Amino acid sequence: MLADYGLLALFIIVAILFATMLPLVALALRLAGIGAKRKPNPHKDTTYECGVQPVGKAWVQFNFRYYFYALVFVVLDVLTIFLYPWATDVKGLAEFGLAAVAVFVAIVCTAYVYAWRKGLLEWK
Amino acid sequence: MAPINFWVLDNFWAHLALFGIAIIAFVLLMVMVFIWFERRAFGPFQLRRGPNRASPWGALQPVADAIKVLLKEDIVPAVADKWVHFIAPIIGFLPVLLIFAVVPFHRGHGLLPDMNIGILYVVAISALGVVGVFMAGWASGNKYSLLGGMRVIAQMVSYEVPLVLSIISVVLVAGTLSMNGIVAAQEVPYFLLMPLGFIIFLIAAMAEINRGPFDLLEADSEIVAGFHIEYSGMKFAMFYLAEYGHALAMSAIAATLFFGGWKGPGDVYLGILWFLLKIFFIFFLLIWARVTFPRLRVDHLMGFGWKFLFPLALANVFIMAAEVIFWGGADGGVPWWVIFVNFPAAIALIYLWSRLFKFGGGRVDVTA
């Protein structure tokens, strides 16, 4: 089992190296004079906003509208993670396990129903 | 454990080298094939021919695209956060490779198909791709790309829960989290045993990989091209690679979870062919959905995820759990005749629930 995770860690290193290599290949080709040279000019380096001159910066405060979705998501995602241990041995835990999980899900879903009734699931 | 036939699979380093190279080659090759396949399939759907100039049937079109994009100029906006702009495509592409670490390719062979937390690892890793997309959207310093990045998180947040719940229903019946174990447990493919779970998984997967009717983050009529407006050359190609690679990964996982992976009639040595065939079938479903349905409106998208998919996914989990407990054999699993219960149940639930819930009226009230 330890060997499995060692294998996984090594593969993660391989994957990182490979993914990093891809843009570096393009860079190497450019340095070798094969690809297109980088020829910056002030107009090319502005951000593209349909041809209109950009006004101000993009990094401003604005209402991104999914704050409450994110809160509900955290609750429900934790719920699903707690269901996984039960799911691997449903047969062994039998009716008692099912009832216990049903109670647990019912408690968490009270919050979900409350959020729905309060209109938090509407995108507005 | 998987049947081990070759000496090379017994050696730790040889195993790592073999499957490391195999996975990277598989992803790169299959992404090219997928791009070609999708464009060829789009042709007849839209009453045209699709690419047919580069070699017979246009098969070399993705190769030509890859060479072209590799030689393109790399433009970085002056206002961009340069480092994050550079790292974002790498972070976006990385999870795609990592997902394949636990996928069993051929007769239970793969890098780590027996890992005991297999499918949980897939869930954890596949959600990471969204970080790269958001980094790209933020670092570009472009308002539209920032909006695209924000949308992708809203979408991921909404469809992650139904996706994970539909995977739970597979785990319930198989009784294991290991990918090889799930394949081994499938005497009848699970898309027959739990049609509702499969439909929810497919829809949620489409939304997770931002394809088809759910591609709001790159809705060109609203926000230009979304998070990759300011990307060109190889960095843009990496996002392209990540998008199709993610579609490939989701197809492979759906094939493993619901279609029995490498299992199939005929000689056992046909394993990899059956696996590829199932991947292409599921990818064809994704293409079909993409070409058929118009793009969803953002409030419909969120409402559909939260009000429709989530309750149905939860209901599916409890139906499957009850069937495993009351009808299942001594060691878990469900008898094959639950097909005749689950198909009517799925149809009834989808019909009734679509009657019960409604979206928030015909238009969105925008109040600051």
Side-chain angles (χ1 to χ4, degrees), chain A residues 116 122, chain B residues 300 303 307 353-361:
Chain A
W116 189 338
E122 305 291 337
Chain B
H300 286 188
K307 296 176 183 174
W353 198 259
S354 60
R355 279 303 165 101
L356 273 171
F357 92 112
K358 62 178 186 350
F359 293 122

Side-chain angles (χ1 to χ4, degrees), chain A residues 1-27 29-30 34-40 42 44-50 53-60 62-66 68-74 76-77 79-81 83-84 86-91 93-98 101-103 105-106 109 112 116 121-124, chain B residues 12-13 15-16 20 23-24 28 70-81 86 90 93-94 97-98 101 111-112 115-117 119-121 123 138-144 146-147 150 153-154 157-158 160-161 164-165 167-168 171-172 175-177 224 229-230 234 238 241 298-299 302-303 306-307 310-311 314 317-318 321-322 324-326 328-332 353 357 359-360 364-366:
Chain A
M1 187 46 62
L2 202 59
D4 280 3
Y5 293 114
L7 208 55
L8 189 62
L10 289 170
F11 182 67
I12 289 175
I13 294 171
V14 171
I16 290 174
L17 288 178
F18 179 74
T20 317
M21 195 196 77
L22 284 176
L24 293 183
V25 165
L27 188 71
L29 282 177
R30 194 165 71 222
I34 300 173
K37 288 276 183 298
R38 204 182 244 178
K39 296 187 198 109
K44 195 191 270 180
D45 284 352
T46 54
T47 56
Y48 178 73
E49 293 183 4
C50 309
Q53 287 284 333
V55 179
K57 293 181 74 173
W59 300 324
V60 293
F62 69 99
N63 176 10
F64 54 79
R65 287 163 190 274
Y66 59 80
F68 287 112
Y69 285 105
L71 285 183
V72 180
F73 167 73
V74 170
L76 295 183
D77 214 35
L79 164 80
T80 56
I81 287 305
L83 290 185
Y84 268 91
W86 164 70
T88 50
D89 192 20
V90 180
K91 188 69 187 175
L93 295 170
E95 289 90 344
F96 177 75
L98 182 63
V101 166
V103 170
V105 170
C109 282
Y112 167 74
W116 189 338
L121 301 185
E122 305 291 337
W123 180 274
K124 55 175 184 278
Chain B
F12 183 86
W13 296 103
H15 184 86
L16 176 70
I23 286 171
I24 290 172
L28 291 183
L70 198 61
L71 301 178
K72 281 272 182 181
E73 186 183 348
D74 180 31
I75 303 169
V76 182
V79 294
D81 187 329
F86 179 80
I90 298 173
F93 176 63
L94 203 55
L97 281 181
L98 294 182
L111 187 69
L112 275 173
M115 193 163 74
N116 56 356
I117 55 162
I119 192 65
L120 202 58
Y121 164 83
V123 169
W138 181 81
S140 296
N142 184 320
K143 288 150 205 149
Y144 293 111
L146 185 60
L147 280 176
M150 287 291 181
I153 293 184
V157 155
S158 304
E160 184 76 8
V161 178
V164 176
L165 280 175
I167 290 174
I168 283 184
V171 175
L172 281 173
T176 173
L177 292 170
V224 196
I229 304 174
E230 301 299 348
M234 193 57 202
M238 285 188 71
L241 203 62
V298 65
D299 58 325
M302 304 299 275
W306 286 105
K307 296 176 183 174
F310 171 69
L314 209 52
V317 165
F318 279 103
V324 169
I325 289 172
F326 296 115
D331 53 345
W353 198 259
F357 92 112
F359 293 122
V364 198
D365 286 319
V366 179

Side-chain angles (χ1 to χ4, degrees), chain B residues 186 250-262 275 278-279 282:
Chain B
Q186 290 185 51
M250 278 301 174
S251 306
I253 289 161
T256 308
L257 294 185
F258 292 99
F259 286 80
W262 47 269
F275 188 59
K278 289 164 182 173
I279 286 181
I282 293 162

